Amino acid sequence: MADLLKLLLRVAEKAANVARVCRQEAPLFQLLVQEKTGDDKNKKFVQDFKTLADVVIQEMIKHDVGAQIPEMVGFIHGEESNKFENGLGESVTVTVCSTEEETAKLLATVLDGDHTAASLLAEAIHQDPTAIEASTDGLTVPLSPSELGIWIDPIDATSQYIKGREEVVEEGLLSPSGLHCALVLIGVYLRSTGEPVMGVINQPFNQKDPASGCWRGKHYWGVSWGNINVCSVSLPKGGPGGGQGLSAVLSSSEKQVVKEALTTLCGPDKLMYASGAGYKILCVILGLADVYVLSEGSTFKWDSCAPHALLRALGGGVVDLTKSLQSICGAQDHKTELTYHQPHTEYTGADQWANHGGLVAYRDCSHLRIINGALKGKL
């Protein structure tokens, strides 16, 4: 598992490099945007974009992990369809080839013969990133790759990535929107039970160098299996506001009844809003909020798998909100935790993998109990 973690940290950093390259080339970036349609369209957004960066990152991770760990091929799933349409109306299946030149040639067919752009992307895809430091020595988990599957969200909060707003973030506060919310998420789950056992989160746009204008990223990781719980993030002391009252992060489009219930519970100063499901769960991981509550089924397995593993490593979790409110066991009911191995067969397309019951991400079971109490009978 230590080797798998190191591999995922490396491919996540490669993914972050691709995301940064695409944003640095503004004319290229405009070419890359394509609207999602049909079964792939996330109903929550009026315009939910698919970018070539998304597809390239996803296929790169699939390629690199599959090459190193063949037992996982066929169990590496992503958000995106790898079919892309070029300006001639031709459908091109985007894959990562064995050489940079071959990948550039394939990408040029997507980019209507723009060989400069294709070469730039291919270089980023085939480039080895700088070594990622992670204290994984001695990390022994008795699981083999043949027991595991992977969920990839190549760029979570795609809309924020496309808008590209550069927000100034104060230390200890979350970023409501902007590039900070865009994350690369790679989650590992157990095929037999769907439990999330490892997560890697890369934030490609964490800090901008004032001198060079280049962005630097940041990564987080966690492993949770049995009695083994290791995370790169320490548990925050006292939580937001020095431990005074519960704080929650929501989507701005959350139901009014939930907003009102949590305003009463938390107070208006402790109710915050942010973009991106992955980013909102990261806020809980980092202690910038105590809980993330979502009452609608607008997130998917690829959004929650990676950060869920980090929360489990910290003693928290992510539950299905509907099941949690119905549970007679309360906050300790493990049957309400999200799992990642089975599709909802009554749906089609991306909806098969939606978290239909909404969710609550929490670091502390007592906070989940409080949220259940506040929302009981309201939804």
Side-chain angles (χ1 to χ4, degrees), residues 62 65-67 69-76 191:
K62 280 186 179 180
V65 175
I69 310 174
E71 308 99 296
M72 298 196 78
V73 173
F75 291 90
I76 307 169
R191 292 182 203 174

Side-chain angles (χ1 to χ4, degrees), residues 60-205:
M60 180 188 73
I61 294 168
K62 280 186 179 180
H63 173 271
D64 286 15
V65 175
Q68 292 286 320
I69 310 174
E71 308 99 296
M72 298 196 78
V73 173
F75 291 90
I76 307 169
H77 314 292
E79 175 188 6
E80 301 293 348
S81 160
N82 65 342
K83 303 283 192 297
F84 212 87
E85 197 169 287
N86 65 15
L88 300 172
E90 298 167 335
S91 183
V92 182
T93 301
V94 175
T95 56
V96 173
C97 305
S98 54
T99 68
E100 187 179 319
E101 290 73 20
E102 289 172 307
T103 302
K105 190 176 174 184
L106 175 69
L107 290 173
T109 64
V110 181
L111 293 166
D112 300 332
D114 187 337
H115 293 280
T116 306
S119 298
L120 195 65
L121 267 179
E123 184 183 358
I125 291 163
H126 288 271
Q127 195 172 49
D128 270 329
T130 51
I132 299 293
E133 293 298 319
S135 306
T136 58
D137 294 340
L139 180 65
T140 308
V141 182
L143 290 171
S144 75
S146 60
E147 297 175 85
L148 305 172
I150 289 177
W151 276 112
I152 304 162
D153 192 342
I155 302 176
D156 188 51
T158 308
S159 62
Q160 296 303 314
Y161 173 67
I162 288 166
K163 286 175 189 169
R165 288 224 311 274
E166 299 181 9
E167 305 284 345
V168 177
V169 183
E170 290 181 50
E171 188 70 34
L173 296 178
L174 58 75
S175 176
S177 60
L179 281 172
H180 281 87
C181 303
L183 305 174
V184 177
L185 306 171
I186 308 176
V188 181
Y189 66 91
L190 207 55
R191 292 182 203 174
S192 57
T193 64
E195 291 171 75
V197 293
M198 180 188 291
V200 168
I201 300 173
N202 193 304
Q203 189 177 32
F205 305 97

Side-chain angles (χ1 to χ4, degrees), residues 349-363:
D351 284 340
Q352 289 189 79
W353 299 105
N355 298 317
H356 286 284
L359 60 82
V360 181
Y362 64 96
R363 227 174 35 252

Side-chain angles (χ1 to χ4, degrees), residues 193-196 224 226 308 312 315-320 323-324 327-339 362 365 368:
T193 64
E195 291 171 75
S224 178
H308 190 170
R312 276 168 55 103
V318 184
V319 296
D320 179 302
K323 287 181 183 175
S324 191
S327 171
I328 54 172
C329 302
Q332 299 298 328
D333 187 358
H334 294 296
K335 290 179 183 158
T336 64
E337 288 276 321
L338 295 184
T339 55
Y362 64 96
C365 266
L368 177 58

Side-chain angles (χ1 to χ4, degrees), residues 226-245:
N227 295 321
I228 300 159
N229 290 290
V230 188
C231 190
S232 65
V233 179
S234 303
L235 275 169
K237 292 176 181 157
Q244 301 299 308

